[in-house]
Amino acid sequence: MATSPAGLAKQLLAILHKDLDALQRIDDYLQGAHDDPYMPENCSDEYKLLARRCVSNWMPLLVGTPAQAMYVDSFRRGNQSERPKDGVLPEWRHWQESRLDARQIAVHRGALAYGHSFTVTEKLRNGKIRTKGLSAMRTSAVFEDPANDHVPYAALTVTRFPQGEEDRGKARMWDGTREYAVIFKSLGDNEGVTVKKVKAHGAKECPVTRFAAAVDLEGRTCGVIGPMIELQNRINQSVFDLLVAQTYSSTKVRTATGMAPPLERDENGEIKLDEKGQPIPLPVNVNASRFLFAEDDTVKFDTLDETPLGGFIESIDMSIRHLSALSQTPPHHLLGQIANLSAEALLAAETALARKIEEFRKSFGESWERVFRLAAEMEGITASAEDYSGEVLWRDMEQRSLAQAADALGKLREQLQIPARGLWPRVPNATKNELDEWERIVKEDDLERQFTEALHRAGGERSGDRERVPA
């Protein structure tokens, strides 16, 4: 691995150049630009139209299903003894000021689709600390140990690609101490790369954080779309075959033998010939509202049976079930068949998806915790910057009624003696602002109760003093 800024920039651009084709293919499938199904070489325009219509893009659903169950709802420090006076942690204030309530969605979806995405935490000119997401198609990072290291040795993101031969692309690069401005001719051209120091970024390590859906022991990342591309192609081919059969063979074909079609004639009654010297037959208007007859008794009419479409539909259904099993997506999410399913059957169907989501939460949670530590370090909060026991809290996305949740939480309070306030975060859809508001109301009620009790005690003491006064 290179150590000089120029060497690192060339290496990072080369990595991005090497991975760009694979990432572009994933992006194409995510956007619905799929490979064409198999067709004859000299196919008609009608075939090509059916090929465009056969694309049933399941890829966004594979990304959106787990992404919609992953929302960071709060952050809890490992050291609970140090609480700000206003009750709002500086780490969470940084989260809100960076608008990560909404921006976290793009980071999660990017990591799930491409296998990885990135964020950069930096100090702006006004002194504020902000975190923003970086696209996997524009960003690369190098690690000393890609399988185990969580901190990149250096990272680069392209802010502008070259628009022509004479144009130059621009990029930003970070290492352990500084930020650099990179100018390059193309991703694969190492000779046209120049690097210029910009500033110290204010952290003790590279401020770029990687979010990986899955990392193997070789350091390779893998998302949910790449392994499913071939299966998506199989579904598209089955749908194409269905459309072809439906267009050309799904209705009965009427035939007539022993009958010549009428020929086209000119104004003189002569038969018109085409460029090959063959007579031009008149088009025959045959539809369901017309009755066919012939004057010659040797003419025979018949029909050819339509092609059954059930086999094509069963093939599509089978491929979608394979997609469901391999992607750990419940079948009813893909097929829409949810009738007559008991609560136990639904829970069993959701189990594989829940396990996959929990795996993603573990990986993304570690990355968000590093983002919180980086922000605390840049703000000069040493205790939080070194707090490796802090954790992000994920929103409970399980849909259940408020009555069920209240009954379960009440039993935990009564039977297990868990403090009531400790159960507040488990109330469905309760946000951190609501929890803070509840805490404030409880404190106000406590103050009112203490004031009332003090008045009662003072009143009782005065009554006792009057009773002890001698007549």
Side-chain angles (χ1 to χ4, degrees):
M1 179 169 50
T3 56
S4 65
L8 285 172
K10 294 176 182 179
Q11 183 178 358
L12 289 166
L13 289 171
I15 292 173
L16 194 58
H17 178 65
K18 179 176 69 70
D19 294 343
L20 193 58
D21 288 341
L23 294 174
Q24 185 62 55
R25 179 168 173 79
I26 290 174
D27 187 69
D28 288 342
Y29 270 76
L30 183 63
Q31 304 301 327
H34 297 185
D35 294 343
D36 290 333
Y38 169 76
M39 294 180 292
E41 292 184 2
N42 298 324
C43 60
S44 63
D45 292 339
E46 191 172 8
Y47 260 79
K48 296 177 182 179
L49 176 61
L50 294 177
R52 291 196 299 270
R53 290 180 176 177
C54 79
V55 174
S56 302
N57 192 10
W58 297 93
M59 300 293 103
L61 183 63
L62 300 185
V63 174
T65 299
Q68 289 168 359
M70 291 189 295
Y71 294 97
V72 175
D73 216 19
S74 184
F75 175 75
R76 180 165 55 205
R77 280 181 176 177
N79 184 6
Q80 295 290 331
S81 60
E82 299 180 6
R83 296 286 298 181
K85 294 181 180 180
D86 59 0
V88 180
L89 295 176
E91 297 92 332
W92 192 247
R93 184 179 290 108
H94 161 262
W95 176 278
Q96 295 294 335
E97 291 176 349
S98 298
R99 295 188 294 162
L100 289 173
D101 274 341
R103 291 180 173 179
Q104 64 173 314
I105 300 173
V107 175
H108 294 163
R109 285 180 174 266
L112 292 172
Y114 304 104
H116 58 269
S117 61
F118 300 89
T119 62
V120 59
T121 304
E122 55 186 347
K123 181 177 290 187
L124 305 181
R125 293 180 179 178
N126 58 7
K128 298 288 187 179
I129 310 299
R130 294 291 183 269
T131 295
K132 65 178 181 180
L134 301 176
S135 170
M137 298 185 67
R138 291 174 170 264
T139 309
S140 61
V142 290
F143 298 80
E144 293 183 353
D145 184 355
N148 299 296
D149 286 355
H150 199 51
V151 179
Y153 185 82
L156 176 145
T157 186
V158 176
T159 57
R160 182 176 179 273
F161 283 102
Q163 302 300 317
E165 294 185 1
E166 301 300 326
D167 195 16
R168 294 292 184 269
K170 296 181 180 180
R172 301 173 65 192
M173 186 179 73
W174 301 266
D175 60 11
T177 56
R178 302 190 68 87
E179 177 186 345
Y180 303 87
V182 179
I183 306 296
F184 61 96
K185 194 172 183 180
S186 67
L187 294 179
D189 183 11
N190 289 335
E191 301 301 325
V193 178
T194 59
V195 180
K196 178 182 178 182
K197 292 182 180 180
V198 176
K199 62 180 179 180
H201 51 62
K204 297 179 181 178
E205 56 192 24
C206 181
V208 175
T209 303
R210 180 180 67 176
F211 289 74
V215 184
D216 63 14
L217 293 179
E218 296 294 331
R220 296 170 296 197
T221 61
C222 181
V224 299
I225 290 183
M228 298 295 113
I229 287 179
E230 293 303 324
L231 191 50
Q232 172 70 73
N233 286 340
R234 194 171 86 189
I235 295 174
N236 291 344
Q237 183 69 53
S238 298
V239 175
F240 175 72
D241 295 341
L242 171 65
L243 292 178
V244 171
Q246 179 179 295
T247 302
Y248 297 105
S249 308
S250 62
T251 59
K252 291 184 181 295
V253 179
R254 298 177 181 179
T255 63
T257 58
M259 179 180 179
L263 301 178
E264 188 175 346
R265 298 176 181 273
D266 58 17
E267 60 275 6
N268 298 322
E270 299 294 332
I271 297 175
K272 287 186 177 182
L273 302 178
D274 59 17
E275 63 274 7
K276 295 182 179 180
Q278 299 297 323
I280 302 175
L282 288 172
V284 179
N285 187 5
V286 179
N287 54 54
S289 65
R290 290 183 174 269
F291 185 79
L292 298 179
F293 66 93
E295 298 178 354
D296 191 347
D297 58 359
T298 61
V299 175
K300 293 183 179 180
F301 294 101
D302 201 354
T303 60
L304 300 178
D305 291 337
E306 68 276 12
T307 301
L309 302 180
F312 297 99
I313 296 173
E314 290 176 2
S315 175
I316 296 172
D317 186 76
M318 180 192 68
S319 297
I320 294 175
R321 291 185 183 277
H322 288 177
L323 180 68
S324 169
L326 295 177
S327 65
Q328 292 181 254
T329 304
H332 58 271
H333 284 219
L334 301 174
L335 298 172
Q337 299 174 354
I338 198 172
N340 300 324
L341 286 180
S342 64
E344 292 77 11
L346 278 174
L347 180 61
E350 297 278 352
T351 299
L353 176 62
R355 291 172 179 170
K356 181 172 73 170
I357 291 173
E358 186 62 26
E359 181 179 340
F360 292 149
R361 283 181 174 180
K362 294 296 184 184
S363 177
F364 296 165
E366 288 288 335
S367 299
W368 283 125
E369 289 161 17
R370 179 174 186 264
V371 170
F372 285 123
R373 291 194 298 270
L374 281 171
E377 179 185 350
M378 291 184 178
E379 291 180 358
I381 309 173
T382 306
S384 297
E386 299 176 355
D387 182 12
Y388 286 85
S389 56
E391 60 179 345
V392 296
L393 303 179
W394 298 91
R395 182 179 302 174
D396 184 8
M397 301 301 295
E398 183 180 355
Q399 295 297 320
R400 56 179 180 270
S401 67
L402 186 60
Q404 289 177 323
D407 181 64
L409 295 176
K411 289 180 178 178
L412 290 175
R413 173 70 179 91
E414 296 297 329
Q415 298 178 11
L416 300 181
Q417 302 300 313
I418 298 177
R421 294 189 191 181
L423 297 173
W424 285 0
R426 296 183 177 271
V427 175
N429 301 320
T431 65
K432 187 177 185 303
N433 288 338
E434 287 179 316
L435 297 177
D436 293 340
E437 179 67 13
W438 295 349
E439 188 73 32
R440 184 188 63 79
I441 293 173
V442 168
K443 289 180 179 180
E444 291 180 355
D445 291 344
D446 287 343
L447 290 175
E448 291 179 2
R449 179 178 54 79
Q450 294 172 11
F451 180 69
T452 303
E453 291 177 353
L455 289 178
H456 283 304
R457 286 196 300 270
E461 292 174 359
R462 287 195 294 270
S463 299
D465 292 341
R466 287 197 296 271
E467 292 175 359
R468 289 193 295 270
V469 174

